[in-house]
């Protein structure tokens, strides 16, 4: 592998390290929740970059632990997103609308001004 590529992957590994530490700091200082998608995105992104750097240096135990972090984070993101979609469907059913055909934004949901004007 050429020297530039090794240096670039090493730099990305440091970015991954900063991402993981930033997520840890934000959770520890209670600025984000430990089950938030933002935390898991930081953790999975950082672990991916660290794992890539570990492969180039042959640090297999570290690669394995980062790989496990990626799997756990992916599982939590998947289950959280599934629960979010399920809650949206349940709310649409409670409103009496068909969730498959009626996904128009409601005025209290985050919508752009143009979308809200088009609804009227």
């Amino acid at each position: 592998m050429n020297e530039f590529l090794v240096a670039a992957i090493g730099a990305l590994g440091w970015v991954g390290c900063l991402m993981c530490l930033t997520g840890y700091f934000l959770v520890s200082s209670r600025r984000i929740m430990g089950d938030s998608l933002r935390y898991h995105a930081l953790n999975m992104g950082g672990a991916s970059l660290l794992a890539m750097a570990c492969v180039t240096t042959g640090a297999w135990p570290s690669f394995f632990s980062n790989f496990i972090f990626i799997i756990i984070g992916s599982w939590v993101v998947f289950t959280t997103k599934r629960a979010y979609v399920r809650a949206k469907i349940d709310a649409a059913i409670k409103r009496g609308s068909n969730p498959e055909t009626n996904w128009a934004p409601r005025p209290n949901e985050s919508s752009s001004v143009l979308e809200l004007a088009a609804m009227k």
Side-chain angles (χ1 to χ4, degrees):
M1 207 181 288
N2 74 30
E3 292 178 30
F4 174 76
L5 189 59
V6 171
I9 292 173
L12 288 174
W14 282 107
V15 170
C17 177
L18 290 174
M19 288 173 71
C20 289
L21 291 174
T22 299
Y24 181 67
F25 171 75
L26 291 173
V27 167
S28 296
S29 62
R30 296 185 180 161
R31 295 183 185 180
I32 61 174
M33 298 299 297
D35 60 349
S36 70
L37 293 177
R38 182 176 297 155
Y39 170 70
H40 287 289
L42 280 169
N43 201 19
M44 287 187 318
S48 299
L49 294 174
L50 282 168
M52 184 174 53
C54 290
V55 167
T56 62
T57 60
W60 297 111
S62 183
F63 167 79
F64 182 74
S65 66
N66 283 301
F67 184 70
I68 297 299
F69 277 120
I70 295 166
I71 291 172
I72 292 169
S74 300
W75 177 74
V76 170
V77 168
F78 176 73
T79 56
T80 302
K81 185 66 174 172
R82 185 177 54 193
Y84 173 77
V85 169
R86 185 75 227 161
K88 284 289 219 185
I89 291 171
D90 290 343
I93 291 171
K94 272 188 177 176
R95 284 195 309 255
S97 61
N98 184 351
E100 275 110 30
T101 60
N102 188 9
W103 286 100
R106 316 268 303 159
N108 61 352
E109 294 177 5
S110 62
S111 303
S112 71
V113 175
L114 294 176
E115 288 174 341
L116 292 175
M119 288 175 58
K120 293 185 179 186

